[in-house]
Amino acid sequence: MKAPPLSLSLPPALSLPFSPPPSSTTPRSYSSAPSPPSLFSLQPRSFQTHPPFIWSPQSLSRSFFGPFKKKSGTDELPEELKEKDATEIYVLGQDLMGKKQVVMGLRYWMLAREKGSQEAQFSLAQYALADGVSEHDANLMMQGKNPVDDLIALHEVGFMAATGALSHVYFFGIGGTRVDVGKARDCAEKAANAGMMSGATCLIQIAQAEGDVGEVIRSKKRAADLGHSIYQFEYGMMLIEGRSPEYCEGDDVRTGLMYLRKAADAANLEASYNLGKLCLEGRLETQDVKKAMFHLQFAAQRQFLPAKFKLGQIYDEGSHSAS
């Protein structure tokens, strides 16, 4: 079975800082939509296996356009794929994406979608809505369908990753969709209740846009409880520093330390740095120089500058043996 021919120049999914809510409520085409990063990381956790990678549009253009302009149909899908089921084809496509063979990976996903894979249908819709993807490329991937329609169809059959994605689509007005905060909130609540990080992060965006401090804090805790290391760090430090206790539902400093440790365990460098300082200073618990150095060195080795400066101070002051 041959996949439809592609001539793409799209970037793969990226992991970027959150974008602010748009100032306009007018609909936009999906070739120029803003790109909140949560929309790029909404796969169910069992499918989050490929590492993030960043290519420039220029390098993509060179590597994508060449092979697929040929009429001979180079890079055809292997014949043995005909015998594989949709899930297996999807996972094989994901492996190709991890190896930066993006176009071939997309071809596998297109075949998996034809065989009924909801994961492939969802992943292709994500890519079609990604910032920097032209309408032409999106149409090739989606075979002329609007990717938002695919997300809606998946949402209606209970595919919660799509529900989470739709919350961002409605909030940001992506894919020609008119901004609808009510629909965004409804989808975000359903997704968050189902354990989807995308829903929790959208609830934070909505609360921030509405200026509801209490709801921002509660939504950050919700995201932290779902494993988001940034919000584990933020909520933990807020508790440790005693900020806004009226919104923290009885959580105390010890709870804050628990969240900070979880964030550090998830390789959040700010959390590692702050946890190292707390261990060094003996705040909240008995001073532990060995633990402090472990956390500070972990962050410093990954080029987190405050940790580097702190280690420099420690060595200059002779408070820790360099050996």
Side-chain angles (χ1 to χ4, degrees):
M1 179 182 295
K2 295 182 180 179
L6 292 177
S7 177
L8 298 173
S9 56
L10 71 159
L14 307 180
S15 178
L16 306 173
F18 280 102
S19 304
S23 57
S24 170
T25 57
T26 56
R28 287 174 289 273
S29 67
Y30 50 79
S31 61
S32 60
S35 54
S38 50
L39 193 61
F40 299 147
S41 56
L42 300 176
Q43 293 97 332
R45 291 178 185 176
S46 60
F47 292 96
Q48 288 181 331
T49 57
H50 62 276
F53 39 86
I54 299 177
W55 291 349
S56 69
Q58 292 80 10
S59 67
L60 287 170
S61 226
R62 288 194 297 271
S63 62
F64 282 3
F65 275 115
F68 293 99
K69 280 184 175 178
K70 298 180 181 179
K71 294 181 180 179
S72 58
T74 57
D75 292 329
E76 292 181 358
L77 296 177
E79 286 296 318
E80 58 266 24
L81 279 183
K82 296 178 183 179
E83 307 302 323
K84 298 184 183 296
D85 64 27
T87 300
E88 188 174 0
I89 295 170
Y90 174 77
V91 172
L92 289 171
Q94 201 168 37
D95 289 341
L96 290 168
M97 302 295 271
K99 296 174 183 175
K100 301 185 181 180
Q101 299 177 34
V102 177
V103 172
M104 186 57 74
L106 289 171
R107 283 175 172 266
Y108 274 56
W109 283 359
M110 291 170 75
L111 178 59
R113 181 184 59 190
E114 289 175 7
K115 285 176 166 279
S117 167
Q118 292 180 327
E119 288 79 15
Q121 185 181 1
F122 171 70
S123 296
L124 286 167
Q126 279 194 112
Y127 271 80
L129 290 168
D131 188 38
V133 178
S134 71
E135 190 166 345
H136 168 74
D137 289 347
N139 282 335
L140 283 173
M141 242 191 307
M142 299 300 301
Q143 297 177 290
K145 297 178 181 178
N146 187 332
V148 175
D149 291 341
D150 268 13
L151 292 179
I152 292 172
L154 288 168
H155 159 66
E156 289 176 347
V157 296
F159 192 83
M160 284 294 111
T163 302
L166 272 179
S167 68
H168 292 271
V169 167
Y170 288 131
F171 183 67
F172 284 90
I174 297 172
T177 304
R178 191 168 297 278
V179 172
D180 189 325
V181 177
K183 285 184 177 180
R185 193 192 317 274
D186 181 59
C187 287
E189 284 285 355
K190 289 178 180 177
N193 288 339
M196 298 302 302
M197 192 86 70
S198 52
T201 55
C202 188
L203 289 173
I204 296 170
Q205 298 268 11
I206 293 170
Q208 287 174 335
E210 295 176 342
D212 188 336
V213 176
E215 191 57 36
V216 169
I217 293 172
R218 286 187 289 271
S219 296
K220 284 186 176 183
K221 179 184 179 181
R222 198 172 189 176
D225 288 338
L226 289 174
H228 198 301
S229 68
I230 291 175
Y231 295 118
Q232 287 172 338
F233 164 71
E234 289 188 7
Y235 188 67
M237 288 304 297
M238 185 178 66
L239 293 174
I240 289 169
E241 295 171 355
R243 291 181 275 120
S244 304
E246 65 273 24
Y247 299 116
C248 296
E249 301 174 350
D251 288 339
D252 58 12
V253 171
R254 291 289 171 184
T255 306
L257 189 57
M258 177 197 72
Y259 280 109
L260 190 63
R261 285 176 179 146
K262 285 184 177 181
D265 288 344
N268 182 291
L269 300 185
E270 285 187 283
S272 293
Y273 166 67
N274 280 275
L275 189 56
K277 285 204 307 177
L278 291 173
C279 291
L280 186 67
E281 297 164 2
R283 293 172 57 191
L284 309 184
E285 56 185 338
T286 306
Q287 185 183 41
D288 190 327
V289 176
K290 186 175 180 180
K291 280 186 180 179
M293 295 303 294
F294 172 81
H295 291 296
L296 291 172
Q297 287 173 349
F298 179 86
Q301 288 167 1
R302 286 154 183 80
Q303 309 305 313
F304 189 69
L305 289 179
K308 286 187 170 185
F309 288 134
K310 188 63 179 178
L311 283 175
Q313 289 177 344
I314 292 170
Y315 289 123
D316 287 343
E317 294 169 2
S319 57
H320 174 73
S321 171
S323 61

